[in-house]
Amino acid sequence: MVLQEKLDSFKRQKEEIKSFKDLGLCDELVEACDSLGWKTPTQIQVEAVPHALEGKDLIAHAQTGSGKTGAFALPILNALLDFHSKQGYKSAPIFFALVLSPTRELAIQIASQFEALGSGIGLKCAVLVGGENLMQQQIALGKRPQIIVASPGRLVDHLNNTKGFSLHMLKYLVLDEADKLLDVDFEKALDDILNVIPRDRHTYLFSASMTRNVKKLKRACLRNPVLIESSSKYCTVDTLKQQLFFKPAKLKDCCLVYILTEMSGCTSMVFTRTCYATRLLSLMLQNLNIRAIPISGQMTQPMRIRALNKFKSGECSVLVCTDVASRGLDIPAVDMVINYDIPQDPRVYIHRVGRTARAGKSGFAISLSTSSLSSRVTSFVFFITGKTLSEYDAQEEQVWLLFERVTESKRLSLKKLKEIGGTKKRRGGDEDDEDIERYLGVKGKRSKLGKRE
Ligand code: AMP
């Protein structure tokens, strides 16, 4: 068959897939999708699931919000059910699949999707992430779960210290946000894991962005993987309106308040560069009666979960975050992403704005920019996505009207942070994180923070 014919036939095949049943999934899973309100498979599910069901390894580029968790969870659960029907439930395998995630929140989210899809089949899932009670996780492992979702470091802890725990039965390995997991930060832990799991397994790599490291892993661990690019490597969805709010630097905070006030019915995520800024801006916004809450990597795990829950439940409408929240977190109904600080790396921009306009919904991404930055944002957005940014429509005089109130609110917030964190002369950017660590109780003032959170 010549290439064009092959492509046409592949296209026809995809067009014929209209339902989860067409993907080749068993009835239990078709019902599970239906009960979650998943009417038709998403593009990544259409492209990945049939290959996975054929037993192929996968490298899948899938943008956030594309339904990628389902794309790897469904074939794994299908294989598990297949095993059950052939061998009976009594001989059900334990530790059937391992999903690794670079962040704790994402791990929790992945596990909840597995649990939702597997609720009708008695699926057991253990989440092994740092910052949570080790003993409780050991108890969860003792319940013989079929699925483990883990961050690499904590999994290695359990492999070394939890009596009787081994992954020699593992059949599936998934690296979600694979490019991140292949960073040097995770190199040692990942090697330790790869050394103790069976080579005879299925391996899936999923990521919105792929690095050369993934290719390295492809050589090392995958067996004739199918490469799936359900979207161009970095792209944003058409339902996302991307804009630039271009004003002088001293009006930056006013611009933020202006947008949040104009769009007051929206749920928003505001991205900043430092942990300190998340705290400072949240306080500033709270002083202006905007329901904001911070989340950053410097917060303890229970605090991060609490912040996320307050945001998800609608108690807070603005989540001020560092890039800890830019990857993989599925926070439904985020209407708007604001880049308070513009990221250096274009890929980070794509991850951030991928928090909105998910699963076919519309959304806004607004980047606050000063003259020196605007060309960087517009050019990298255009370079990556082929889309141009329009300018956010606001009269400068209207923004200036906010100046006094916002400046006063920021001054009070700075004062408050200093009182809580101990007065410290900030000498530069790195000092920010030290301040916030102290404020967060990492350096010994936990009780104060506990009350505030
Ligand atoms: P993910 O990209 O895996 O983070 O998924 C993003 C969101 O899409 C999650 O809330 C899923 O529950 C939802 N989702 C996944 N697959 C489908 C589908 N086929 N139809 C509708 N929603 C879906």
Side-chain angles (χ1 to χ4, degrees):
M1 215 191 284
V2 291
L3 184 65
Q4 189 55 50
E5 280 173 26
K6 270 191 185 167
L7 284 174
D8 289 345
S9 118
F10 181 58
K11 214 172 147 200
R12 270 197 307 279
Q13 232 173 307
K14 278 205 301 182
E15 277 161 8
E16 278 158 22
I17 296 178
K18 299 237 161 43
S19 68
F20 284 99
K21 185 83 189 154
D22 297 334
L23 290 181
L25 292 166
C26 63
D27 291 343
E28 288 98 322
L29 289 177
V30 174
E31 273 168 35
C33 293
D34 191 49
S35 66
L36 290 183
W38 298 4
K39 301 275 175 265
T40 51
T42 64
Q43 195 186 347
I44 184 68
Q45 291 162 359
V46 168
E47 304 209 358
V49 173
H51 289 299
L53 292 179
E54 278 174 21
K56 302 263 172 54
D57 282 1
L58 306 175
I59 296 182
H61 295 262
Q63 63 192 114
T64 45
S66 61
K68 64 186 169 129
T69 314
F72 60 74
L74 288 167
I76 291 174
L77 295 176
N78 203 80
L80 188 65
L81 283 163
D82 204 33
F83 190 96
H84 283 163
S85 66
K86 285 184 186 138
Q87 314 277 331
Y89 279 80
K90 289 255 161 62
S91 60
I94 54 166
F95 312 143
F96 189 71
L98 167 66
V99 184
L100 291 175
S101 146
T103 66
R104 296 176 277 194
E105 287 80 4
L106 179 58
I108 292 164
Q109 202 171 279
I110 294 167
S112 67
Q113 277 208 42
F114 264 101
E115 277 161 0
L117 286 167
S119 64
I121 56 168
L123 187 78
K124 280 180 275 180
C125 206
V127 182
L128 310 178
V129 290
E132 300 270 1
N133 187 295
L134 204 77
M135 204 125 78
Q136 272 173 4
Q137 293 175 359
Q138 288 171 331
I139 293 169
L141 286 174
K143 292 183 181 159
R144 304 167 71 81
Q146 300 95 339
I147 311 291
I148 295 177
V149 187
S151 54
R154 180 53 68 96
L155 180 69
V156 171
D157 276 357
H158 280 286
L159 285 167
N160 291 334
N161 302 316
T162 299
K163 218 170 150 212
F165 174 51
S166 117
L167 290 174
H168 68 273
M169 305 267 284
L170 195 80
K171 297 281 183 277
Y172 286 84
L173 171 69
V174 183
L175 305 192
D176 195 8
E177 300 289 344
D179 63 332
K180 186 75 188 158
L181 284 170
L182 292 157
D183 272 0
V184 279
D185 301 355
F186 292 104
E187 197 171 303
K188 168 85 178 63
L190 199 60
D191 282 349
D192 289 351
I193 296 163
L194 290 170
N195 282 337
V196 298
I197 60 175
R199 282 202 147 261
D200 184 20
R201 60 162 195 267
H202 303 284
T203 307
Y204 303 152
L205 307 190
F206 275 73
S207 192
S209 50
M210 285 289 173
T211 66
R212 265 176 270 127
N213 275 336
V214 173
K215 290 183 183 146
K216 219 194 278 173
L217 193 88
K218 176 182 162 185
R219 284 199 301 276
C221 292
L222 295 122
R223 294 173 307 184
N224 297 322
V226 177
L227 185 66
I228 294 163
E229 299 198 59
S230 87
S231 53
S232 69
K233 257 192 211 167
Y234 306 111
C235 81
T236 52
V237 292
D238 292 336
T239 49
L240 175 71
K241 185 169 182 190
Q242 301 179 68
Q243 292 180 301
L244 202 60
F245 199 167
F246 175 63
K247 291 282 172 277
K250 67 195 256 187
L251 281 183
K252 196 174 173 186
D253 292 323
C254 298
C255 289
L256 175 66
V257 175
Y258 183 89
I259 300 169
L260 291 172
T261 314
E262 281 279 295
M263 314 273 271
S264 59
C266 289
T267 45
S268 310
M269 292 175 79
V270 176
F271 283 94
T272 68
R273 189 178 60 81
T274 64
C275 303
Y276 179 81
T278 62
R279 178 63 69 190
L280 179 59
L281 287 183
S282 299
L283 273 179
M284 182 190 86
L285 294 172
Q286 282 166 15
N287 286 338
L288 294 163
N289 293 324
I290 295 173
R291 291 172 293 126
I293 191 152
I295 187 167
S296 74
Q298 294 289 327
M299 290 162 69
T300 62
Q301 182 62 4
M303 281 158 55
R304 280 157 72 170
I305 291 176
R306 203 153 51 232
L308 211 49
N309 285 343
K310 280 190 173 180
F311 184 60
K312 281 185 178 179
S313 70
E315 195 179 323
C316 293
S317 58
V318 180
L319 188 70
V320 187
C321 45
T322 55
D323 283 304
V324 73
S326 72
R327 280 174 174 265
L329 287 191
D330 178 30
I331 303 165
V334 174
D335 304 307
M336 179 163 66
V337 165
I338 299 176
N339 284 310
Y340 178 85
D341 289 320
I342 288 169
Q344 298 282 342
D345 184 341
R347 286 173 302 179
V348 174
Y349 176 89
I350 300 300
H351 281 295
R352 286 183 182 182
V353 302
R355 303 298 89 211
T356 181
R358 294 160 78 81
K361 295 194 187 116
S362 56
F364 296 92
I366 304 171
S367 300
L368 302 186
S369 182
T370 53
S371 52
S372 56
L373 284 170
S374 68
S375 58
R376 184 169 101 210
V377 193
T378 32
S379 56
F380 77 46
V381 170
F382 184 73
F383 179 71
I384 304 168
T385 66
K387 288 169 187 158
T388 44
L389 294 182
S390 56
E391 207 175 317
Y392 186 82
D393 190 20
Q395 298 296 318
E396 195 165 317
E397 308 84 72
Q398 291 177 335
V399 181
W400 271 109
L401 290 178
L402 296 168
F403 190 74
E404 256 176 51
R405 273 183 70 214
V406 171
T407 309
E408 178 59 7
S409 171
K410 191 153 189 190
R411 191 188 64 77
L412 290 174
S413 309
L414 273 165
K415 195 168 158 238
K416 199 160 186 176
L417 275 190
K418 277 192 182 152
E419 277 164 21
I420 292 161
T423 333
K424 179 181 180 110
K425 272 201 173 160
R426 299 203 357 254
R427 291 177 296 272
D430 290 345
E431 297 291 318
D432 290 351
D433 288 347
E434 285 185 28
D435 277 354
I436 203 70
E437 268 184 25
R438 189 174 300 100
Y439 180 56
L440 288 170
V442 183
K443 288 190 173 172
K445 286 191 179 173
R446 190 174 298 259
S447 55
K448 264 192 178 176
L449 182 75
K451 276 184 205 143
R452 303 206 107 257
E453 284 295 307

